[in-house]
Amino acid sequence: AFHSLERCALPVIAAVNGVAYGGGTEIVLFCDFVLASAEHARFAFREIRVGLQPGYGLVRGPEIIGRQWTKYLALTGDIVDARKAKEIGFVQEVVHHDVLLDEALAIAGRIAANPPTAVRVGKRFVNRDTPGGGLRETMEATAILFTTEDHKEGVRAFLEKRDPEFTGR
């Protein structure tokens, strides 16, 4: 699914008007442009809180927001708002939620007014080095994390609305 966004011949524009945690944040990393609601958009890799890591986020994050911010978000599970997301390079535009979709459609219109072949070539060329690198490894690591006692405890604690007690197993 992530690579489908990247390989799509047409540019993919994300208009985030709410919570994009975990997989939602990872999906946004694979989009070509990201607009976010100033009032409602929130981003986070919350997987750490249940003993996991955002596999694809760890692959694309360093390219989009840098190594330090990827580690910060992946290791803390902290939530960032739209303005902070723009500051770190995750989001291109922050707009009021009532014009979010209009702004995304306006960008799409400007792109659509250009020659389609040039748009496809531009997107493909910028993304030329992205397929594959690190994905197999992160899928294997994620599969291992799903089998840990810490992951089971993290999920139980989440469902029971309590703090988890991780043991390192």
Side-chain angles (χ1 to χ4, degrees):
F2 296 116
H3 281 293
S4 295
L5 296 172
E6 233 171 28
R7 293 182 184 134
C8 179
L10 300 172
V12 178
I13 302 169
V16 182
N17 193 25
V19 171
Y21 294 169
T25 294
E26 290 179 285
I27 287 171
V28 171
L29 284 171
F30 283 82
C31 292
D32 297 299
F33 308 109
V34 183
L35 283 76
S37 161
E39 298 84 2
H40 303 295
R42 301 288 179 267
F43 304 89
F45 292 136
R46 303 291 279 175
E47 291 89 340
I48 191 79
R49 306 188 116 236
V50 293
L52 298 175
Q53 276 296 319
Y56 288 104
L58 296 179
V59 171
R60 266 318 156 256
E63 297 170 22
I64 307 298
I65 61 173
R67 292 177 127 195
Q68 301 329 90
W69 274 108
T70 300
K71 287 186 282 188
Y72 180 86
L73 294 174
L75 302 180
T76 64
D78 285 358
I79 299 165
V80 295
D81 64 14
R83 286 178 181 81
K84 178 57 86 175
K86 183 173 186 208
E87 178 185 315
I88 66 176
F90 188 68
V91 167
Q92 282 73 52
E93 296 291 334
V94 175
V95 299
H96 291 290
H97 72 278
D98 56 344
V99 298
L100 180 65
L101 189 55
D102 292 335
E103 291 291 328
L105 291 171
I107 292 170
R110 292 196 305 276
I111 293 167
N114 292 315
T117 303
V119 170
R120 282 193 305 274
V121 167
K123 177 176 174 172
R124 189 176 321 146
F125 191 83
V126 170
N127 287 345
R128 71 190 175 280
D129 294 331
T130 56
L135 294 179
R136 186 174 60 79
E137 294 86 350
T138 193
M139 288 177 11
E140 289 173 7
T142 299
I144 291 168
L145 288 173
F146 267 105
T147 68
T148 66
E149 290 301 316
D150 279 345
H151 170 60
K152 293 173 189 164
E153 166 61 12
V155 171
R156 276 192 305 270
F158 175 78
L159 294 173
E160 295 170 5
K161 298 182 185 339
R162 62 174 173 80
D163 290 335
E165 297 178 26
F166 296 123
T167 63
R169 289 179 283 156

